Amino acid sequence: MRSPAHRTAGLLVTALLVLVPLLAAIPAASAAGSATVYYATGWNTANVHYRPTGGSWTTVPGVPMGETACAGWKKRTIDLGSATGLRAAFNNGSGTWDNNGGADYVLGTGVSTVRDRVVTANAANPCAPQGPDTVAPTAPAGLTAIANGTSIAIAWDAATDDVGVTGYRITRTGGTGGTKVTDVTGVTATAHSDTGLAENTAYRYTVQARDAAGNVSPASAAATATTGRGPAQPAGGTPLGGDPREDSIYFVMTARFADGDPANNRGGSQHVKSGNAANDDPMFRGDFKGLIDKLDYVKGLGFSALWITPVVLNRSDYDFHGYHGWDFHRVDARLESEGASYQDLINAAHAKGIKIYQDVVYNHSSRWGAKGLFTPKVYGVRDAQWSWYYDQPAPGFTYDGRSVEPVSGKSYHNGDLWSTAEPAGNTCRDWGVPTGGQSAEGYRVYNCQWPSPTSGMFPATYFHNCWIGNWEGEDSRSCWLHEDLADFNTESKVVQDYLIDVYNRYIDMGVDGFRVDTAVHVPRVTWNRRFLPAIRAHATARFGAAKAKDFYVFGEVAAFVHDKWNRGSVNHSAQFYTWKERKQYSADDVKAAIEQYDHENLMGTGNQPVSTNATLNGNAYHAPDHSAFSGMNVIDMRMHMNFGEASNAFHNGKDSDDGYNDATFNTVYVDSHDYGPNKSSVRFDGGTDAWAENMSLMWTFRGIPTLYYGSEIEFQRGKRIDCGPTCPLATTGRAYYGGHLAGSVIAPDFGTVSGATGAVAQTLDKPLVRHVQRLNRIRRAIPALQKGQYSIEGVSGDMAFKRRFTQGAVDSFVLVSVSGGATFTGIPNGTYVDAVTGDTRVVTGGTLTIAPGGKGNLRAYVLSLPGNPAPGRIGAAGPYLK
């Protein structure tokens, strides 16, 4: 038996983290009988799970290391009897393990210390009083400097010290600025990104290590790099601004929506295997030109915001979706055309009053790394069977996803990832040695041929070096999700600087917000310290505080459960990410991530912050308190999971609302490009009436309604949403939609179409299209349905509620009932007018009763107030709103 393979996401919860190879063996002390173990940790409690040599393992989680020997150290003396040593792993008693990267710690008798994965046998007592520290750290080795445009990334090997390295001093010379000295803090801070440098200029760097006593090492060997030209700056644009709750969102997978330029279509390496070739349906088919051409369709539906899949240059075998980013500084050429760049799309959408929400990824790159940060060399054609996949290097050819390399004839040319000889500076273990396994085609597979976080191929400075073992454990925030998704070390400053610089460029282009992919896989403290403040600061500097405040950030915190909290783990629950930190953590981001995780798990679900920002005080609106808001809103995962029926989504949604900072900013959808309700693998197939009911709830209840492309006609209902390259895209929920959009649309206003020709005219006549058009018009006319707080106090009926929004001269109060009937008591007296039928009621006794309207129908009785008259009936009766 071995100790449990509990993964710790490559981020040990010891006081300091240094990734070093496992010591193969630790000599045992000569005396047998007992082992005294000192373990360096930041945990409040620690257990040692062990097996004496020749004996059995303790019961998980082991025995407490009950004695705090001194600050940062736990101690336990273990009776070994006649055993000469033991194997051990450590944990905090709450599911977080330090098992030395999957290999047991080997300890002898006598005194041993365990710190930063290093075992010291026959050690001195680390808690004994120490004299002055006069020994300097060793000089850092392995310094490298790599230029990318006007930035230089430097990295070095960690130095050592008899007590502990606390940081590094970087000295730069060159250029016209003279000598510059930069201090970085933390033993894990072994990389630095130097940005904003002069073009075409040589710079020289040295690094020194320092310890807590102020001792400074000799300087490292120097490394030099010469900058190139600065990246071309986009013409830029300006976000539209305005409260994001005033919009509804249409979600488009750009490459599958509308094809405006067949010249940029690309099928990729899986074109034939997937079956797409047989359907003449390349994975990259839709583009920005097609989207620009169909903006009037989007506007005619009534949507004033577009969420589009990631636009950065991707690189993998099947990357049309955009989530395998490779060159984050560059827009994927397979989406752009002459006169239809990404900037052109932003500008065209803004001209029609439509916002652009760009899907962004901070958590991972493609399996080939990230250009300008780190890209691995991989093993190429050692035998002929792989010649179809790995191409010969092609000097002068640069992959852009679109350009065809002339020798291979491929736009997905792999030449710059290919090597027949071991690359210089290779860090991948067992490079080129057969693994003993075979590919799906039956080909021999070699080590380092395929990306892996545990192979040594990806430096820990840039990428985490582990696989996820527990999706609700700490490692889910800091390990690889999949071999195609190389997990960024987002606690590394050089990675943070890279990502902040990347996404600042898209802010400059005038996008109106970010949808954040895989947000739960980055620690909240890292979002709150680094990325969210950077977004706000750059948007403020570029466009002013008002538009920066309106820049809408909504994160995917995937919690596929029906409950308020994700299996009891607050760190993995959507609402958790809407809050600031309530405690000061270590200055070192790696340590802070662990401290935050442990602290919040210890606090548990019953001690999380609560809010009334989404709910009324009786019938009165109150000013929301956003002082503890993190800057990130979220997709409403609980409603999404329960949208098999609208009533379930409603009751589950409101049950969670006190846990969000402000649930009125939640993004609400039924299904997406990943899942349907209940984590279904198929697009919603509950029927047209159920779709209409879901829409009626989404457009009137709190949150921002969002629709995945094609759902307005029940496109691909019941089809599996995604199957990768194992089946044709045409058979999935990611099928090409453009055939339904052929023709022209004239949309003079949101939700209004004055003319349409061709197939799109038939599309616009579908019952759910007419339904969503009118819902959008009703919602746009009633501020309480956009931004109002709600209450069910004094309300009978299943999906019934009252909402109010009061700000300045605006006072909007509405009573809503979806599908069924309802009675409202204790409401203000006055005249109420239904926005659906125009029915007028004069309330004198504080009570109004609504008769059932039928599934999918609704009533929205608006109170006429001084200066805020009810709008009356909005639009004509349709298939559901009647």
Side-chain angles (χ1 to χ4, degrees), residues 563-582:
D563 303 320
K564 181 174 182 178
W565 298 101
N566 183 4
R567 298 174 178 87
S569 175
V570 295
N571 282 282
H572 297 85
S573 301
Q575 58 269 40
F576 182 74
Y577 279 72
T578 66
W579 296 96
K580 288 181 178 178
E581 303 305 330
R582 49 184 171 171

Side-chain angles (χ1 to χ4, degrees), residues 364-382:
H364 59 264
S365 70
S366 73
R367 64 171 177 259
W368 304 129
K371 187 179 181 185
L373 184 69
F374 174 80
T375 54
K377 266 288 187 184
V378 298
Y379 173 73
V381 187
R382 183 175 290 276

Side-chain angles (χ1 to χ4, degrees), residues 612 618 811 832 879:
T612 60
D811 190 4
Y832 290 78

Side-chain angles (χ1 to χ4, degrees), residues 362 477 490-491 496 500 516 519-537 553 555 557 570-571 573-587 589 592-593 596-597 599-600 608-609 626-634 661:
Y362 286 75
R477 306 183 310 157
T490 48
E491 292 71 64
Q496 293 168 357
I500 289 169
V516 182
V520 70
H521 299 297
V522 174
R524 186 183 75 175
V525 68
T526 306
W527 285 117
N528 287 349
R529 276 185 174 183
R530 309 302 176 201
F531 297 134
L532 294 171
I535 291 170
R536 176 61 66 87
V553 178
V557 181
V570 295
N571 282 282
S573 301
Q575 58 269 40
F576 182 74
Y577 279 72
T578 66
W579 296 96
K580 288 181 178 178
E581 303 305 330
R582 49 184 171 171
K583 183 178 184 294
Q584 188 70 34
Y585 300 111
S586 169
D589 282 357
Q596 178 252 299
Y597 180 86
H599 176 75
E600 294 295 350
Q608 295 301 309
H626 294 148
S627 60
F629 175 50
S630 67
M632 180 185 289
N633 299 287
V634 290
N661 182 265

Side-chain angles (χ1 to χ4, degrees), residues 377 391-395 397 405 407 413-420:
K377 266 288 187 184
D391 308 305
Q392 294 285 343
F397 178 79
E405 194 277 322
V407 176
H413 176 72
N414 281 321
D416 55 342
L417 304 171
W418 175 95
S419 177
T420 53

Side-chain angles (χ1 to χ4, degrees), residues 51-108:
R51 176 178 69 83
T53 303
S56 301
W57 285 97
T58 56
T59 302
V60 174
V63 297
M65 301 189 73
E67 181 180 347
T68 300
C70 57
W73 288 93
K74 300 290 186 182
K75 176 186 175 184
R76 175 83 188 196
T77 298
I78 299 169
D79 184 3
L80 295 176
S82 61
T84 58
L86 69 152
R87 290 179 174 269
F90 302 90
N91 65 84
N92 68 351
S94 299
T96 300
W97 286 76
D98 168 11
N99 66 340
N100 196 24
D104 305 324
Y105 286 103
V106 181
L107 307 172

